[in-house]
Amino acid sequence: MSATDLAPVAPLPDRGGPQQPLVIARDLRRHFPIRSGFFGRRTGTVHAVDGVSFEVVKGETLGIVGESGCGKSTTARLLVGLIALDEGDIIFDGDRLGDQLSLRELRRGVQMVFQDSYASLNPRLTIEDSIAFGPKVHGMGEGQARRRARELLASVGLEPARFAGRYPHELSGGQRQRVNIARALAMAPRLVILDEAVSALDKSVEAQVLNLLADLKEERDLTYVFISHDLNVVRYISDRVMVMYLGEVVEIGPAEAVYARKAHPYTAALFAAMPSMDPDARTEEPPLAGDPPNPIDPPTGCRFHTRCRFAEAVCAAVKPALASVPGEARGGEARAEAHVAACHMLVAGSGHSAAGGAA
Amino acid sequence: MTKPLVDIRDLSVTFSGERTVHAVNGLDLSLPPGEVLAILGESGSGKSVTLKTLLRLLPPRRTAISGMIAVDGVDVLSLSGRRLADYRGGTVSMVFQEPMLALDPVYSIGDQIAEAVMRHEGLGRRAAMERALDMLTRVRIPSPERRLKVFPHEMSGGMRQRAMIALALACRPKLLLADEPTTALDATVQIQILLLLRELQREFGMGVIFVTHDIGVAVEVADRIAVMYAGNVVETGTVAEVIRDARHPYTKGLLAANLHGAVKGARLEAIRGAPPALERPPEACSFAPRCDFADERCRTAPPPMIVPGPGRRVACVLADRLEAAE
């Protein structure tokens, strides 16, 4: 790639048009070997992400929810190319990562904000230098990169004159997370992945940052992938929601449809586990017993069958595919409107007693 | 009226060293026996410091404590040596956020519980192990006989927190302190632990002070809520009173920021600014710089403590006005 290509660090042009999803993730798979003993022999495999497919539509916010070990953070890291895929394709605006799109080009289009605002900044760089670093690596001149850093500081609500020369430890958690957002925007990305980006913040500060994210999305025509364990926040910010369990997608659909219907039993349990806000209607019965199983040796068939109260023989034997949730969006509608879940109870003739007989 | 189990009066805690921090400033708090109080607050509000002061866990050389703390009639601030050791784990015990850090990694779960029982109740090893087994059964750890011999790293996060609770309750304390015990857990595990704590509290009849930043968690476990800000309680009341009829602007802001029922796309009513650094003790209302309703009174003198009803306190000039208007 020539230097002139990179010099301006301008936003990547829209190539595929509005109908082309910004990201198509197809059958993503990433396993991590566990080695032990003197010779480091492979003694197990973590099935971190196991056949995950989804699309991110241009201009939307896709929320990803799930518990620890469900693969939501690994999915995010695969999308930015921080870890390599074992199998599967990532197609960014029509170009496949690998042969049609280099990792370097992908990272101009996709940036990420992490949960730990302190660990993700270099403690030896002033925040201005941190923000200007990416553009400089991509060929922008010193003066221009600095100007851009100051503009970005102003747009995330940090007065450049006061803050530009400060080091990360001189800022509060909320201010640091604003810096991380500014740094992500320095490459003029089209997709920003927010991996638990507001989870470590105090509630009152979290609301400020959520407002900021909404403003930036509007101003800069961004697309977000928003990963969080807080279902209230995900509902507020997301257009569509994807629920993951042990490295797989169990349900995906428009936020309101998922929140209203909760078609997969795991989705229903996850929502029921949210603390009640009504002192007269406190939770009496935990929706699930035990901890989420280990992704090292995931259960056969439906991975949720070991904790599911509707589980039958078919659930342990056959892995359910994502199927349309009956009574809602059908296959004929636009893909972005589809509401699908991976549960035998939703598929007529699957062998589960709760599934309808007729197709 | 029964004598309170915990009676804290005008407690102030100041840390010195590189930086002076007035972490707790003139706190008054009381807890009747058998009641569950949730202290709700953000980082730096002084909620964890209050708990640690109750157990006298703060480094004495860098901490100045003034005021009075009585737990079950004992003057906690005057305890030392053997009497302090009897008090910790005997009268009062604590469950921490990170059981992996709080449990000893080189002793089995059973040994750790038995050690506490032998120390506090003078039981023999066999009887102490029986108590440990009983405790693991009560916190619903599956196959408890086997888990007695297990080390903390061999358990999952939820199981470790159950073991931590078993250890804390082994000597039947009158007061349990819980410092964000479910914050590090997954949602489906968190609710299990909250319901377990609620059940054990009823069973043992102990008083509980539960520190959390999550309003939903407070609603699930507590009878009463005390909202802390900048080292003091700004509002207390029963859970229903605080949730349905919040009077302090800070409490109202926190409730709005919880996003429960927030309309998608609507702007959030965020509290602006950030909590104060507390390098000097507050001389006026600490929340005034962030408050939309602050006036001259708020910036010149500490807010009055308004009592809108029995057991209800709000530290805000506004609460007075509201009451007068009603």
Side-chain angles (χ1 to χ4, degrees), chain A residues 67-68 202-204 207-208 210-211 215 232-233 236-239 273 275-280 282-284 286 288-291 307, chain B residues 42-43 156 158 186-188 190 192 195 198 216 219-222 244 257-260 263-264 266-268 270-273 290:
Chain A
E67 296 178 283
S68 50
D202 277 324
K203 277 286 164 199
S204 66
Q208 297 168 7
L210 289 173
N211 279 338
D215 292 344
N232 286 333
V233 175
Y236 169 73
I237 201 166
S238 306
D239 300 302
S276 152
M277 280 296 287
D278 181 357
D280 294 329
R282 304 208 292 194
T283 311
E284 290 303 330
L288 290 179
D291 294 58
R307 300 172 85 197
Chain B
E42 300 183 289
S43 46
S156 67
D186 276 319
T188 57
Q190 162 170 292
Q192 298 170 28
L195 295 186
R198 218 160 76 188
V219 172
E220 286 287 0
V221 295
R244 300 209 177 108
N258 187 53
L259 299 188
H260 192 86
V263 182
K264 183 170 159 43
R267 246 186 128 58
L268 297 172
I271 305 174
R272 61 196 147 87
R290 306 175 74 189

Short mmCIF file of all heavy atoms in Angstrom, two decimals, chain A residues 67-68 202-204 207-208 210-211 215 232-233 236-239 273 275-280 282-284 286 288-291 307, chain B residues 42-43 156 158 186-188 190 192 195 198 216 219-222 244 257-260 263-264 266-268 270-273 290:
data_model
loop_
_atom_site.label_atom_id
_atom_site.label_comp_id
_atom_site.label_asym_id
_atom_site.label_seq_id
_atom_site.Cartn_x
_atom_site.Cartn_y
_atom_site.Cartn_z
N GLU A 67 -23.15 -14.15 29.25
CA GLU A 67 -22.36 -14.20 30.48
C GLU A 67 -20.90 -14.46 30.16
O GLU A 67 -20.54 -14.68 29.01
CB GLU A 67 -22.92 -15.29 31.39
CG GLU A 67 -24.33 -15.00 31.83
CD GLU A 67 -24.88 -16.11 32.68
OE1 GLU A 67 -25.26 -17.14 32.14
OE2 GLU A 67 -24.91 -15.93 33.90
N SER A 68 -20.05 -14.49 31.20
CA SER A 68 -18.64 -14.72 30.95
C SER A 68 -18.46 -16.09 30.30
O SER A 68 -19.13 -17.05 30.66
CB SER A 68 -17.84 -14.61 32.25
OG SER A 68 -18.42 -15.39 33.24
N ASP A 202 -19.26 4.72 37.01
CA ASP A 202 -20.36 4.93 37.93
C ASP A 202 -21.62 5.27 37.15
O ASP A 202 -21.56 5.86 36.08
CB ASP A 202 -20.03 6.08 38.89
CG ASP A 202 -19.18 5.60 40.04
OD1 ASP A 202 -19.41 4.46 40.49
OD2 ASP A 202 -18.30 6.34 40.48
N LYS A 203 -22.77 4.92 37.73
CA LYS A 203 -24.03 5.09 37.01
C LYS A 203 -24.23 6.51 36.50
O LYS A 203 -24.70 6.72 35.39
CB LYS A 203 -25.20 4.69 37.91
CG LYS A 203 -25.46 3.20 37.92
CD LYS A 203 -26.11 2.75 36.65
CE LYS A 203 -26.01 1.23 36.49
NZ LYS A 203 -26.21 0.80 35.11
N SER A 204 -23.91 7.50 37.33
CA SER A 204 -24.20 8.88 36.91
C SER A 204 -23.29 9.28 35.75
O SER A 204 -23.68 10.05 34.88
CB SER A 204 -24.04 9.84 38.09
OG SER A 204 -22.70 9.91 38.51
N ALA A 207 -24.35 7.46 32.27
CA ALA A 207 -25.41 8.13 31.50
C ALA A 207 -24.82 9.23 30.63
O ALA A 207 -25.22 9.40 29.48
CB ALA A 207 -26.47 8.69 32.45
N GLN A 208 -23.83 9.97 31.15
CA GLN A 208 -23.19 11.02 30.34
C GLN A 208 -22.51 10.42 29.12
O GLN A 208 -22.61 10.95 28.01
CB GLN A 208 -22.11 11.74 31.17
CG GLN A 208 -22.61 12.49 32.38
CD GLN A 208 -21.46 12.94 33.29
OE1 GLN A 208 -20.29 12.80 32.94
NE2 GLN A 208 -21.79 13.45 34.45
N LEU A 210 -23.17 7.55 27.64
CA LEU A 210 -24.16 7.03 26.70
C LEU A 210 -24.73 8.16 25.84
O LEU A 210 -24.93 8.01 24.64
CB LEU A 210 -25.28 6.29 27.44
CG LEU A 210 -24.89 4.95 28.05
CD1 LEU A 210 -26.03 4.40 28.89
CD2 LEU A 210 -24.50 3.95 26.98
N ASN A 211 -24.98 9.31 26.47
CA ASN A 211 -25.45 10.48 25.70
C ASN A 211 -24.41 10.88 24.66
O ASN A 211 -24.74 11.19 23.52
CB ASN A 211 -25.73 11.65 26.63
CG ASN A 211 -27.10 11.54 27.31
OD1 ASN A 211 -27.98 10.84 26.81
ND2 ASN A 211 -27.27 12.23 28.41
N ASP A 215 -24.66 11.11 20.51
CA ASP A 215 -24.33 12.31 19.73
C ASP A 215 -23.31 11.99 18.64
O ASP A 215 -23.46 12.42 17.49
CB ASP A 215 -23.75 13.39 20.65
CG ASP A 215 -24.78 13.93 21.61
OD1 ASP A 215 -25.97 13.70 21.38
OD2 ASP A 215 -24.38 14.57 22.61
N ASN A 232 -30.43 -3.49 30.70
CA ASN A 232 -31.13 -2.21 30.59
C ASN A 232 -30.40 -1.29 29.62
O ASN A 232 -31.03 -0.61 28.81
CB ASN A 232 -31.22 -1.52 31.95
CG ASN A 232 -32.24 -2.18 32.86
OD1 ASN A 232 -33.20 -2.77 32.37
ND2 ASN A 232 -32.03 -2.08 34.15
N VAL A 233 -29.07 -1.26 29.72
CA VAL A 233 -28.29 -0.39 28.85
C VAL A 233 -28.39 -0.88 27.41
O VAL A 233 -28.58 -0.09 26.48
CB VAL A 233 -26.81 -0.36 29.30
CG1 VAL A 233 -25.96 0.43 28.33
CG2 VAL A 233 -26.69 0.22 30.70
N TYR A 236 -31.63 0.07 25.87
CA TYR A 236 -31.71 1.51 25.60
C TYR A 236 -30.97 1.86 24.31
O TYR A 236 -31.43 2.66 23.52
CB TYR A 236 -31.14 2.28 26.79
CG TYR A 236 -30.94 3.74 26.49
CD1 TYR A 236 -32.02 4.61 26.39
CD2 TYR A 236 -29.66 4.25 26.26
CE1 TYR A 236 -31.84 5.93 26.09
CE2 TYR A 236 -29.47 5.57 25.95
CZ TYR A 236 -30.56 6.41 25.86
OH TYR A 236 -30.37 7.72 25.54
N ILE A 237 -29.79 1.24 24.12
CA ILE A 237 -28.91 1.72 23.04
C ILE A 237 -29.06 0.95 21.73
O ILE A 237 -28.75 1.47 20.67
CB ILE A 237 -27.43 1.73 23.52
CG1 ILE A 237 -26.61 2.68 22.66
CG2 ILE A 237 -26.85 0.34 23.55
CD1 ILE A 237 -25.26 3.01 23.22
N SER A 238 -29.58 -0.31 21.79
CA SER A 238 -29.47 -1.17 20.61
C SER A 238 -30.70 -1.14 19.71
O SER A 238 -31.83 -1.05 20.19
CB SER A 238 -29.25 -2.62 21.04
OG SER A 238 -28.16 -2.69 21.91
N ASP A 239 -30.44 -1.29 18.40
CA ASP A 239 -31.52 -1.52 17.45
C ASP A 239 -31.83 -3.01 17.38
O ASP A 239 -32.97 -3.42 17.33
CB ASP A 239 -31.12 -1.02 16.06
CG ASP A 239 -30.83 0.46 16.08
OD1 ASP A 239 -31.72 1.23 16.46
OD2 ASP A 239 -29.69 0.85 15.75
N ALA A 273 -33.10 -13.09 35.48
CA ALA A 273 -32.07 -12.96 36.51
C ALA A 273 -31.76 -11.50 36.83
O ALA A 273 -31.08 -11.21 37.80
CB ALA A 273 -30.79 -13.66 36.06
N PRO A 275 -32.08 -8.12 38.51
CA PRO A 275 -32.77 -7.76 39.75
C PRO A 275 -34.03 -6.95 39.46
O PRO A 275 -34.07 -6.13 38.55
CB PRO A 275 -31.74 -6.89 40.49
CG PRO A 275 -30.43 -7.24 39.90
CD PRO A 275 -30.71 -7.63 38.47
N SER A 276 -35.06 -7.25 40.24
CA SER A 276 -36.32 -6.54 40.09
C SER A 276 -36.17 -5.12 40.61
O SER A 276 -35.39 -4.86 41.50
CB SER A 276 -37.38 -7.29 40.88
OG SER A 276 -38.39 -6.42 41.31
N MET A 277 -36.90 -4.20 40.02
CA MET A 277 -36.85 -2.83 40.55
C MET A 277 -38.11 -2.53 41.37
O MET A 277 -38.34 -1.40 41.75
CB MET A 277 -36.73 -1.82 39.40
CG MET A 277 -35.32 -1.67 38.86
SD MET A 277 -34.16 -1.02 40.07
CE MET A 277 -34.70 0.69 40.10
N ASP A 278 -38.91 -3.56 41.62
CA ASP A 278 -40.15 -3.36 42.34
C ASP A 278 -40.06 -4.05 43.70
O ASP A 278 -40.01 -5.28 43.77
CB ASP A 278 -41.30 -3.95 41.51
CG ASP A 278 -42.64 -3.75 42.20
OD1 ASP A 278 -42.66 -3.21 43.33
OD2 ASP A 278 -43.66 -4.13 41.61
N PRO A 279 -40.03 -3.28 44.78
CA PRO A 279 -39.87 -3.89 46.11
C PRO A 279 -41.01 -4.85 46.47
O PRO A 279 -40.84 -5.71 47.32
CB PRO A 279 -39.82 -2.71 47.07
CG PRO A 279 -40.03 -1.49 46.28
CD PRO A 279 -40.06 -1.83 44.83
N ASP A 280 -42.15 -4.72 45.80
CA ASP A 280 -43.26 -5.63 46.10
C ASP A 280 -43.26 -6.87 45.23
O ASP A 280 -44.10 -7.75 45.39
CB ASP A 280 -44.60 -4.91 45.91
CG ASP A 280 -44.77 -3.80 46.92
OD1 ASP A 280 -44.22 -3.94 48.04
OD2 ASP A 280 -45.39 -2.78 46.59
N ARG A 282 -40.25 -8.87 44.41
CA ARG A 282 -38.86 -9.30 44.35
C ARG A 282 -38.79 -10.71 43.77
O ARG A 282 -39.76 -11.47 43.79
CB ARG A 282 -38.26 -9.29 45.76
CG ARG A 282 -38.38 -7.92 46.41
CD ARG A 282 -37.31 -7.64 47.40
NE ARG A 282 -37.38 -8.46 48.60
CZ ARG A 282 -36.68 -8.18 49.71
NH1 ARG A 282 -35.88 -7.13 49.75
NH2 ARG A 282 -36.78 -8.94 50.76
N THR A 283 -37.62 -11.04 43.23
CA THR A 283 -37.43 -12.37 42.66
C THR A 283 -37.52 -13.41 43.77
O THR A 283 -36.92 -13.24 44.83
CB THR A 283 -36.06 -12.43 41.98
OG1 THR A 283 -35.91 -11.29 41.15
CG2 THR A 283 -35.90 -13.68 41.15
N GLU A 284 -38.28 -14.47 43.55
CA GLU A 284 -38.43 -15.49 44.59
C GLU A 284 -37.66 -16.76 44.25
O GLU A 284 -37.28 -17.52 45.13
CB GLU A 284 -39.91 -15.83 44.79
CG GLU A 284 -40.71 -14.71 45.43
CD GLU A 284 -40.16 -14.26 46.78
OE1 GLU A 284 -39.56 -15.09 47.50
OE2 GLU A 284 -40.29 -13.06 47.11
N PRO A 286 -34.54 -18.38 41.76
CA PRO A 286 -33.53 -18.09 40.73
C PRO A 286 -33.88 -18.82 39.43
O PRO A 286 -34.26 -19.99 39.47
CB PRO A 286 -32.22 -18.61 41.33
CG PRO A 286 -32.60 -19.43 42.51
CD PRO A 286 -34.01 -19.11 42.89
N LEU A 288 -32.04 -19.91 37.02
CA LEU A 288 -31.13 -20.99 36.67
C LEU A 288 -30.34 -21.39 37.90
O LEU A 288 -30.06 -20.56 38.75
CB LEU A 288 -30.12 -20.54 35.60
CG LEU A 288 -30.61 -20.29 34.19
CD1 LEU A 288 -29.45 -19.84 33.33
CD2 LEU A 288 -31.25 -21.53 33.61
N ALA A 289 -29.96 -22.68 37.97
CA ALA A 289 -29.10 -23.12 39.07
C ALA A 289 -27.68 -23.25 38.55
O ALA A 289 -27.46 -23.47 37.37
CB ALA A 289 -29.60 -24.46 39.61
N GLY A 290 -26.73 -23.10 39.44
CA GLY A 290 -25.33 -23.34 39.09
C GLY A 290 -24.71 -22.26 38.22
O GLY A 290 -25.37 -21.32 37.81
N ASP A 291 -23.42 -22.43 37.95
CA ASP A 291 -22.68 -21.47 37.13
C ASP A 291 -22.77 -21.88 35.66
O ASP A 291 -23.05 -23.03 35.36
CB ASP A 291 -21.22 -21.46 37.55
CG ASP A 291 -21.03 -20.93 38.95
OD1 ASP A 291 -21.63 -21.50 39.90
OD2 ASP A 291 -20.31 -19.96 39.11
N ARG A 307 -28.81 -26.92 31.55
CA ARG A 307 -29.40 -26.01 32.54
C ARG A 307 -30.85 -25.66 32.19
O ARG A 307 -31.48 -24.88 32.90
CB ARG A 307 -28.60 -24.71 32.62
CG ARG A 307 -27.16 -24.91 33.03
CD ARG A 307 -26.39 -23.62 32.90
NE ARG A 307 -26.50 -22.75 34.05
CZ ARG A 307 -26.18 -21.45 34.03
NH1 ARG A 307 -25.80 -20.88 32.92
NH2 ARG A 307 -26.28 -20.73 35.12
N GLU B 42 -21.76 5.43 44.81
CA GLU B 42 -20.82 5.23 43.72
C GLU B 42 -19.42 5.13 44.29
O GLU B 42 -19.21 5.27 45.49
CB GLU B 42 -20.93 6.40 42.75
CG GLU B 42 -22.31 6.50 42.16
CD GLU B 42 -22.42 7.60 41.15
OE1 GLU B 42 -22.39 8.78 41.53
OE2 GLU B 42 -22.51 7.30 39.97
N SER B 43 -18.44 4.90 43.41
CA SER B 43 -17.08 4.79 43.91
C SER B 43 -16.68 6.11 44.57
O SER B 43 -17.01 7.18 44.07
CB SER B 43 -16.11 4.43 42.79
OG SER B 43 -16.35 5.21 41.66
N SER B 156 -15.75 -22.77 41.00
CA SER B 156 -16.19 -21.69 40.12
C SER B 156 -16.48 -20.44 40.96
O SER B 156 -16.55 -20.50 42.18
CB SER B 156 -17.45 -22.12 39.38
OG SER B 156 -18.51 -22.25 40.30
N GLY B 158 -19.16 -18.63 41.46
CA GLY B 158 -20.37 -18.69 42.29
C GLY B 158 -20.16 -19.59 43.49
O GLY B 158 -20.59 -19.26 44.61
N ASP B 186 -21.66 -13.42 37.33
CA ASP B 186 -22.57 -13.35 36.19
C ASP B 186 -24.00 -13.15 36.67
O ASP B 186 -24.35 -13.55 37.78
CB ASP B 186 -22.50 -14.65 35.39
CG ASP B 186 -21.35 -14.62 34.41
OD1 ASP B 186 -21.15 -13.56 33.80
OD2 ASP B 186 -20.66 -15.63 34.29
N ALA B 187 -24.82 -12.59 35.78
CA ALA B 187 -26.20 -12.24 36.16
C ALA B 187 -26.97 -13.44 36.73
O ALA B 187 -27.63 -13.32 37.76
CB ALA B 187 -26.92 -11.68 34.94
N THR B 188 -26.86 -14.60 36.07
CA THR B 188 -27.68 -15.73 36.52
C THR B 188 -27.15 -16.29 37.84
O THR B 188 -27.89 -16.95 38.57
CB THR B 188 -27.73 -16.86 35.47
OG1 THR B 188 -26.40 -17.28 35.18
CG2 THR B 188 -28.39 -16.40 34.20
N GLN B 190 -25.51 -14.19 40.14
CA GLN B 190 -25.77 -13.11 41.09
C GLN B 190 -27.11 -13.28 41.78
O GLN B 190 -27.21 -13.19 43.01
CB GLN B 190 -25.73 -11.76 40.37
CG GLN B 190 -26.41 -10.65 41.17
CD GLN B 190 -26.18 -9.28 40.59
OE1 GLN B 190 -25.07 -8.77 40.60
NE2 GLN B 190 -27.22 -8.66 40.09
N GLN B 192 -28.83 -15.93 42.25
CA GLN B 192 -28.81 -17.07 43.16
C GLN B 192 -28.20 -16.68 44.51
O GLN B 192 -28.70 -17.04 45.57
CB GLN B 192 -27.97 -18.22 42.59
CG GLN B 192 -28.50 -18.81 41.29
CD GLN B 192 -27.48 -19.76 40.65
OE1 GLN B 192 -26.68 -20.38 41.35
NE2 GLN B 192 -27.50 -19.87 39.35
N LEU B 195 -30.54 -14.34 46.54
CA LEU B 195 -31.65 -15.06 47.18
C LEU B 195 -31.14 -15.91 48.33
O LEU B 195 -31.80 -16.02 49.38
CB LEU B 195 -32.38 -15.93 46.15
CG LEU B 195 -33.10 -15.16 45.04
CD1 LEU B 195 -33.91 -16.08 44.16
CD2 LEU B 195 -34.00 -14.08 45.60
N ARG B 198 -30.59 -13.66 51.32
CA ARG B 198 -31.88 -13.27 51.90
C ARG B 198 -32.42 -14.40 52.77
O ARG B 198 -32.92 -14.17 53.87
CB ARG B 198 -32.84 -13.00 50.74
CG ARG B 198 -33.77 -11.84 50.97
CD ARG B 198 -34.32 -11.35 49.67
NE ARG B 198 -35.37 -12.20 49.14
CZ ARG B 198 -35.90 -12.05 47.92
NH1 ARG B 198 -35.47 -11.10 47.14
NH2 ARG B 198 -36.83 -12.86 47.50
N GLY B 216 -30.88 -2.19 41.72
CA GLY B 216 -31.64 -3.42 41.59
C GLY B 216 -31.25 -4.43 42.65
O GLY B 216 -32.10 -5.09 43.26
N VAL B 219 -32.71 -3.46 45.96
CA VAL B 219 -34.14 -3.76 46.04
C VAL B 219 -34.35 -5.25 46.35
O VAL B 219 -35.23 -5.62 47.13
CB VAL B 219 -34.86 -3.38 44.72
CG1 VAL B 219 -36.29 -3.87 44.71
CG2 VAL B 219 -34.83 -1.87 44.53
N GLU B 220 -33.51 -6.10 45.75
CA GLU B 220 -33.67 -7.55 45.96
C GLU B 220 -33.35 -7.99 47.39
O GLU B 220 -33.96 -8.92 47.89
CB GLU B 220 -32.79 -8.34 44.98
CG GLU B 220 -33.30 -8.35 43.54
CD GLU B 220 -34.53 -9.22 43.34
OE1 GLU B 220 -35.01 -9.82 44.31
OE2 GLU B 220 -35.01 -9.28 42.20
N VAL B 221 -32.35 -7.36 48.05
CA VAL B 221 -31.94 -7.90 49.34
C VAL B 221 -32.39 -7.11 50.56
O VAL B 221 -32.47 -7.66 51.65
CB VAL B 221 -30.41 -8.07 49.47
CG1 VAL B 221 -29.91 -9.10 48.51
CG2 VAL B 221 -29.69 -6.76 49.31
N ALA B 222 -32.65 -5.81 50.40
CA ALA B 222 -32.69 -4.97 51.59
C ALA B 222 -34.10 -4.66 52.10
O ALA B 222 -35.07 -4.74 51.36
CB ALA B 222 -31.96 -3.66 51.30
N ARG B 244 -39.74 4.73 45.28
CA ARG B 244 -40.96 5.33 44.72
C ARG B 244 -41.08 6.82 45.03
O ARG B 244 -41.80 7.52 44.35
CB ARG B 244 -42.19 4.62 45.31
CG ARG B 244 -42.18 3.15 44.97
CD ARG B 244 -43.58 2.58 44.88
NE ARG B 244 -43.49 1.19 44.49
CZ ARG B 244 -43.74 0.17 45.32
NH1 ARG B 244 -44.14 0.42 46.56
NH2 ARG B 244 -43.61 -1.06 44.90
N ALA B 257 -30.53 7.16 36.07
CA ALA B 257 -29.37 6.61 35.37
C ALA B 257 -29.41 5.09 35.33
O ALA B 257 -28.63 4.47 34.61
CB ALA B 257 -28.08 7.08 36.04
N ASN B 258 -30.30 4.47 36.08
CA ASN B 258 -30.40 3.01 36.07
C ASN B 258 -30.98 2.50 34.76
O ASN B 258 -30.86 1.34 34.42
CB ASN B 258 -31.27 2.55 37.24
CG ASN B 258 -31.28 1.06 37.36
OD1 ASN B 258 -30.22 0.45 37.43
ND2 ASN B 258 -32.44 0.47 37.37
N LEU B 259 -31.60 3.40 33.99
CA LEU B 259 -32.12 3.11 32.66
C LEU B 259 -33.26 2.11 32.67
O LEU B 259 -33.62 1.57 31.65
CB LEU B 259 -31.02 2.54 31.73
CG LEU B 259 -29.83 3.41 31.45
CD1 LEU B 259 -28.99 2.73 30.38
CD2 LEU B 259 -30.28 4.75 30.95
N HIS B 260 -33.80 1.83 33.85
CA HIS B 260 -34.92 0.91 33.89
C HIS B 260 -36.10 1.61 33.28
O HIS B 260 -36.59 2.60 33.80
CB HIS B 260 -35.19 0.51 35.35
CG HIS B 260 -36.13 -0.64 35.46
ND1 HIS B 260 -35.71 -1.93 35.41
CD2 HIS B 260 -37.47 -0.67 35.59
CE1 HIS B 260 -36.76 -2.72 35.52
NE2 HIS B 260 -37.83 -1.99 35.64
N VAL B 263 -36.54 5.28 27.59
CA VAL B 263 -37.05 5.19 26.23
C VAL B 263 -35.88 5.27 25.26
O VAL B 263 -35.05 6.17 25.35
CB VAL B 263 -38.05 6.34 25.95
CG1 VAL B 263 -38.61 6.21 24.54
CG2 VAL B 263 -39.16 6.32 26.97
N LYS B 264 -35.85 4.31 24.34
CA LYS B 264 -34.76 4.27 23.38
C LYS B 264 -34.71 5.55 22.56
O LYS B 264 -35.73 6.04 22.10
CB LYS B 264 -34.95 3.08 22.46
CG LYS B 264 -33.82 2.95 21.52
CD LYS B 264 -33.85 1.67 20.76
CE LYS B 264 -33.01 1.83 19.51
NZ LYS B 264 -31.76 2.53 19.72
N ALA B 266 -34.28 8.47 23.52
CA ALA B 266 -34.48 9.68 24.32
C ALA B 266 -33.18 10.02 25.03
O ALA B 266 -32.38 9.14 25.34
CB ALA B 266 -35.60 9.45 25.33
N ARG B 267 -32.96 11.29 25.29
CA ARG B 267 -31.74 11.69 25.98
C ARG B 267 -31.85 11.32 27.45
O ARG B 267 -32.88 11.48 28.07
CB ARG B 267 -31.56 13.19 25.87
CG ARG B 267 -30.34 13.48 25.04
CD ARG B 267 -29.96 14.89 24.96
NE ARG B 267 -28.56 15.03 25.30
CZ ARG B 267 -27.59 14.42 24.66
NH1 ARG B 267 -27.86 13.61 23.67
NH2 ARG B 267 -26.34 14.60 25.00
N LEU B 268 -30.74 10.80 28.00
CA LEU B 268 -30.75 10.43 29.41
C LEU B 268 -30.55 11.66 30.26
O LEU B 268 -29.77 12.55 29.92
CB LEU B 268 -29.61 9.44 29.68
CG LEU B 268 -29.72 8.11 28.93
CD1 LEU B 268 -28.45 7.31 29.13
CD2 LEU B 268 -30.92 7.34 29.43
N ALA B 270 -28.66 12.74 32.64
CA ALA B 270 -27.44 12.40 33.35
C ALA B 270 -27.14 13.46 34.39
O ALA B 270 -27.40 14.63 34.19
CB ALA B 270 -26.28 12.31 32.36
N ILE B 271 -26.60 13.01 35.55
CA ILE B 271 -26.08 13.96 36.52
C ILE B 271 -24.78 14.49 35.92
O ILE B 271 -23.93 13.72 35.52
CB ILE B 271 -25.78 13.27 37.86
CG1 ILE B 271 -27.02 12.54 38.37
CG2 ILE B 271 -25.28 14.27 38.88
CD1 ILE B 271 -26.77 11.72 39.61
N ARG B 272 -24.64 15.81 35.83
CA ARG B 272 -23.42 16.32 35.20
C ARG B 272 -22.25 16.26 36.18
O ARG B 272 -22.46 16.11 37.39
CB ARG B 272 -23.65 17.75 34.70
CG ARG B 272 -24.00 18.72 35.78
CD ARG B 272 -24.61 19.99 35.15
NE ARG B 272 -25.61 20.59 36.02
CZ ARG B 272 -25.32 21.46 36.98
NH1 ARG B 272 -24.09 21.82 37.20
NH2 ARG B 272 -26.27 21.96 37.74
N GLY B 273 -21.05 16.43 35.63
CA GLY B 273 -19.85 16.48 36.48
C GLY B 273 -19.50 15.16 37.10
O GLY B 273 -19.97 14.11 36.69
N ARG B 290 -23.20 19.77 41.38
CA ARG B 290 -23.77 18.96 40.30
C ARG B 290 -25.29 19.05 40.27
O ARG B 290 -25.94 18.38 39.47
CB ARG B 290 -23.37 17.49 40.49
CG ARG B 290 -21.89 17.27 40.61
CD ARG B 290 -21.57 15.80 40.91
NE ARG B 290 -21.76 14.95 39.73
CZ ARG B 290 -21.71 13.62 39.78
NH1 ARG B 290 -21.52 13.00 40.92
NH2 ARG B 290 -21.86 12.92 38.69
#
